[in-house]
Amino acid sequence: VRDVGEWVAPIVPWVKINSQDWSAPVEGGVRIGDVDLPLDPKAIDKGIADIEAAIATGKPTVAVGDKTLPATPDTLKVFKDLKRALDSQQRARGGASDDIETVKNVLIIETNFEEASFKRVRLAKRPGAPGLPVGLKTRLKPHQDTGLAWLQQHWIEGSRGAMLCDDMGLGKTLQALVFCLWLREAMSAGTIARQPILLVAPVGLLRNWEREIDDHLLPPGLGNLLRVYGDHLKSFKRGRHTDGTAGLDTVRIGAADVVLANYEAVSDYQLSFGAVRFAAVVLDEAQKVKSPQARMTHAAKALHAEFVLAMTGTPVENRLADLWCIADTAQPGVLDDLKTFSSRYEIEGANVQGLRTLVWQEEEGAERTAPRLLLRRLKTDKLEGLPRKHEHTLRVPMPPRQAEAYQRALAMQNISGPQGTLIMIHALRRASLHPMLVAARRDDTLEIGESARMIAAIEILDKIAKAGEKALVFLESLDLQDAEQLPTILQRRYGLKRLPMVINGQVATEERQNRVDTFQTEREFDVMLLSPKAGGVGLTLTAANHVIHLSRWWNPAVEDQCSDRVYRIGQQKPVHIYYPLAVLQGAEEHSFDVQLQMLMDRKRKLAQNLLAAPAFNQADYDELLKGLGGNS
């Protein structure tokens, strides 16, 4: 940390930025006829202001983006409803504080962008003896024993930090807790100085951390626990720092044994968190600090910690620079500066295998050699405690209305330029789910028989209901999640005593966990609908052993995270994963769903070696378009 000053987002010119956004559709926007107009929060705010000004001055129309819209109260209502929905979604995710003054100033750090100006890979050796702590009440699996020994070796050798990147569902949280318990018992014995341990996670996972402490550790667990996030922050606010930035009670935080916080709290109150010296900081879902330009990343790097454990099942989400940023948080300077890293490994033909050798701790010999930065075990390694997994790809012909909507979407390729291509791809994506999503009117009643994927899903659910088992259905469309649409159909068809529960970005964190608890404890057949991004991370839903991917996400890592809600240690039944594909008769192999499945399979295989980004890029979409060529 060099200074305290006003936050200015850094510019990182050597990180390539595509001219076209090839990501999945944005979370907000308006529909004009059959065309979506994506809008980010700033564009929505500007649109509201422009529409209000136009109405006040009597102008009949207003320009929003590249579209001209009628300046009417109805248009204004649409924009305000959209803003309220996105604001609610942000609050449900535990977004940034409403107290703007909390982030007036930030900690200015050495960035390691253009040169490795700060390096702290290893410190002096520390005291300690490997072994299981006495306060553990759960028997570890063999791979978890190895993970604990690897973390203990990092500590004893004087390592600044480590990355635990086991596949999702293999017990990273348990390994981290046992390591923290080992540190806490060393503090009690006087072997190391007594300092708090900071556990940082998305707000939706913090209750799960407390549950894991109760489930796996004997009382008193990790000791005196403080919740420093969300509504709990009110009791910690203590006036302002000398620069006017809101502060927290650092004396109280420093006196705790373990502190739970979300990333937004650490970022918003970074002057306070940065003033406390922590024995260890555990960053759960560490991909939250993958962006070098983000204020949240800088706040995490500015923490005063003896040891940093970064945990993520997806250390590379979009590009190799993700790995650099997380690694630079755990062991600053270990992968040199970002500019050198990017030029060395993010170019065509780069020696990424050399990078893997540099950072990846192969499990054999993990306890016999100096520990490398990263430890990763995959479910394909056939680790103890996992059930069998069966994947089912189901091709179903499109009904007439869906085929007609699909052909109309395909015709959009005649629109010139990359924007037209993107519109066509997203239209094909919606039409392949259900034709009502690309209809001029969006208030249609859902008809199962008009969608190939829906037909397949119902046939699957009929069998699951007959067996008395449970299922998760991942579905991105909020329209179809609406209580009067798919939930009502499912309730009537299966005689459920209540509507199937839904978890999406509009469901508050506390309520999400309540719904999970209900689903996990009730015994009869049930089905839960989840949005891939909101329900795909951090939830344990092992009461279900069936997953239906009704919506398809662009990033196979996101889909795998969704499947891993049920395919994880603790699952007692064989797991079945279903991918229903809508195919166009006469052009089956060239159908969007088939081409997308083939591309996703290739990306999955590449991503298994950790060092190939699974997210789609423009080249992938070009390949997808080429595969659709048989329809044109």
Side-chain angles (χ1 to χ4, degrees):
V1 176
R2 291 192 288 108
D3 204 349
V4 174
E6 186 176 351
W7 168 251
V8 177
I11 299 173
V12 191
W14 52 85
V15 174
K16 301 180 289 295
I17 300 174
N18 291 331
S19 59
Q20 174 62 49
D21 179 11
W22 291 98
S23 60
V26 296
E27 296 169 323
V30 295
R31 170 168 278 260
I32 307 160
D34 286 345
V35 178
D36 285 342
L37 175 62
L39 296 169
D40 61 27
K42 289 182 180 178
I44 296 170
D45 290 338
K46 185 177 185 303
I48 291 173
D50 290 347
I51 295 167
E52 288 176 334
I55 292 174
T57 57
K59 293 181 179 178
T61 61
V62 62
V64 177
D66 59 353
K67 300 292 180 185
T68 299
L69 305 181
T72 65
D74 287 343
T75 304
L76 182 61
K77 182 178 184 300
V78 168
F79 273 69
K80 287 186 174 181
D81 288 347
L82 178 60
K83 178 175 173 56
R84 278 194 293 272
L86 291 181
D87 288 346
S88 173
Q89 196 172 70
Q90 179 69 9
R91 287 193 298 272
R93 290 174 178 167
S97 167
D98 292 332
D99 186 355
I100 302 300
E101 289 192 279
T102 59
V103 289
K104 178 179 179 181
N105 281 322
V106 300
L107 298 171
I108 308 299
I109 64 169
E110 294 286 353
T111 59
N112 287 347
F113 285 165
E114 297 192 58
E115 60 180 17
S117 57
F118 179 70
K119 190 164 186 173
R120 196 177 183 216
V121 174
R122 199 165 296 280
L123 309 171
K125 284 198 172 187
R126 304 183 183 99
L132 292 174
V134 297
L136 176 65
K137 65 180 180 182
T138 299
R139 178 182 175 274
L140 298 183
K141 306 293 183 185
H143 75 276
Q144 295 169 337
D145 271 324
T146 300
L148 173 63
W150 176 78
L151 287 171
Q152 292 170 333
Q153 188 182 10
H154 262 283
W155 175 270
I156 294 168
E157 292 291 325
S159 169
R160 168 70 171 79
M163 293 176 62
L164 181 57
C165 299
D166 285 347
D167 214 349
M168 293 156 286
L170 295 184
K172 292 188 294 293
T173 302
L174 176 56
Q175 293 172 75
L177 283 178
V178 180
F179 173 67
C180 291
L181 179 61
W182 179 75
L183 291 179
R184 179 59 57 202
E185 291 182 359
M187 293 179 202
S188 298
T191 307
I192 60 177
R194 192 177 191 94
Q195 293 168 338
I197 294 170
L198 175 63
L199 305 179
V200 186
V203 69
L205 304 188
L206 291 172
R207 268 186 60 182
N208 184 65
W209 273 88
E210 291 193 51
R211 181 168 300 172
E212 294 276 320
I213 291 172
D214 292 339
D215 288 347
H216 301 298
L217 309 185
L218 295 170
L222 294 179
N224 173 34
L225 184 149
L226 290 186
R227 303 174 185 89
V228 190
Y229 63 92
D231 291 339
H232 304 290
L233 282 167
K234 296 175 184 176
S235 66
F236 290 91
K237 292 185 180 180
R238 295 291 297 271
R240 309 230 165 240
H241 296 290
T242 55
D243 64 359
T245 303
L248 302 177
D249 188 342
T250 54
V251 173
R252 188 177 164 199
I253 294 172
D257 291 322
V258 59
V259 177
L260 293 181
N262 65 328
Y263 284 94
E264 288 76 15
V266 170
S267 180
D268 289 352
Y269 296 92
Q270 56 185 276
L271 270 64
S272 296
F273 279 99
V276 177
R277 181 160 187 167
F278 296 101
V281 171
V282 179
L283 302 174
D284 191 10
E285 300 294 343
Q287 68 271 18
K288 293 275 284 185
V289 295
K290 70 178 186 296
S291 173
Q293 299 104 320
R295 175 166 58 87
M296 189 180 293
T297 300
H298 286 233
K301 290 185 175 184
L303 290 168
H304 192 182
E306 177 76 10
F307 188 84
V308 175
L309 172 57
M311 303 197 312
T312 173
T314 51
V316 179
E317 278 198 328
N318 300 308
R319 55 180 304 163
L320 279 176
D322 299 349
L323 175 64
W324 176 88
C325 198
I326 300 171
D328 195 65
T329 305
Q331 290 188 10
V334 67
L335 295 180
D336 296 322
D337 59 276
L338 177 55
K339 185 176 182 179
T340 300
F341 177 89
S342 184
S343 63
R344 183 180 296 161
Y345 297 114
E346 290 199 309
I347 59 173
E348 188 174 350
N351 179 24
V352 292
Q353 185 58 40
L355 175 60
R356 173 178 169 135
T357 301
L358 177 67
V359 303
W360 193 323
Q361 176 72 59
E362 303 295 347
E363 182 146 353
E364 184 178 355
E367 300 178 55
R368 296 197 297 269
T369 61
R372 290 182 183 158
L373 170 70
L374 182 152
L375 180 63
R376 178 171 174 80
R377 280 75 60 87
L378 303 177
K379 289 174 179 170
T380 52
D381 297 335
K382 295 182 171 54
L383 302 175
E384 181 183 314
L386 284 172
R388 293 186 62 185
K389 182 173 76 168
H390 308 272
E391 296 188 308
H392 311 272
T393 301
L394 310 171
R395 296 189 181 191
V396 183
M398 295 183 190
R401 187 188 175 200
Q402 185 173 32
E404 180 185 350
Y406 180 90
Q407 293 283 22
R408 286 200 309 270
L410 194 63
M412 292 180 183
Q413 65 184 310
N414 298 321
I415 301 175
S416 61
Q419 185 64 31
T421 300
L422 187 61
I423 289 171
M424 182 196 72
I425 288 177
H426 291 329
L428 287 171
R429 186 168 179 260
R430 288 192 298 270
S432 297
L433 174 54
H434 199 286
M436 71 175 282
L437 299 178
V438 291
R441 291 177 59 83
R442 297 291 288 274
D443 57 355
D444 290 357
T445 300
L446 176 64
E447 296 289 344
I448 296 297
E450 292 179 343
S451 163
R453 289 196 210 165
M454 290 281 187
I455 292 170
I458 291 298
E459 290 178 355
I460 294 165
L461 288 172
D462 285 349
K463 295 177 182 177
I464 296 170
K466 188 175 181 180
E469 297 180 334
K470 295 187 179 184
L472 307 182
V473 175
F474 283 92
L475 175 63
E476 181 188 354
S477 169
L478 296 181
D479 292 317
L480 301 183
Q481 291 176 10
D482 184 88
E484 296 181 2
Q485 300 288 5
L486 188 56
T488 294
I489 291 173
L490 296 178
Q491 183 185 29
R492 290 173 179 169
R493 184 177 186 90
Y494 301 112
L496 302 176
K497 61 184 180 183
R498 53 164 169 74
L499 285 172
M501 292 178 289
V502 175
I503 291 181
N504 57 35
Q506 297 178 346
V507 179
T509 300
E510 194 76 14
E511 178 57 24
R512 289 186 200 183
Q513 191 59 51
N514 291 338
R515 295 182 186 187
V516 169
D517 292 344
T518 299
F519 187 84
Q520 287 286 90
T521 55
E522 292 182 347
R523 294 187 176 276
E524 63 271 15
F525 164 77
D526 199 1
V527 56
M528 179 182 280
L529 307 180
L530 306 97
S531 294
K533 291 297 283 185
V537 176
L539 303 179
T540 297
L541 290 160
T542 48
N545 62 312
H546 299 267
V547 174
I548 302 173
H549 289 283
L550 199 50
S551 285
R552 303 307 304 275
W553 200 260
W554 299 119
N555 189 331
V558 173
E559 279 199 347
D560 293 341
Q561 286 174 340
C562 295
S563 299
D564 287 328
R565 298 313 97 213
V566 307
Y567 183 51
R568 57 198 304 115
I569 290 175
Q571 176 60 260
Q572 303 300 316
K573 298 178 180 178
V575 168
H576 296 268
I577 313 296
Y578 304 90
Y579 302 99
L581 309 183
V583 298
L584 188 65
Q585 295 188 65
E588 286 81 358
E589 294 302 319
H590 298 285
S591 300
F592 176 84
D593 277 4
V594 173
Q595 289 295 318
L596 180 61
Q597 180 71 23
M598 292 168 61
L599 187 53
M600 296 272 275
D601 287 343
R602 288 195 292 273
K603 298 291 280 187
R604 275 192 177 90
K605 290 177 182 177
L606 288 172
Q608 283 181 351
N609 72 358
L610 163 75
L611 301 179
F616 281 19
N617 54 37
Q618 186 163 346
D620 296 320
Y621 281 86
D622 290 342
E623 183 179 349
L624 179 58
L625 288 172
K626 184 178 178 181
L628 297 174
N631 289 328
S632 57

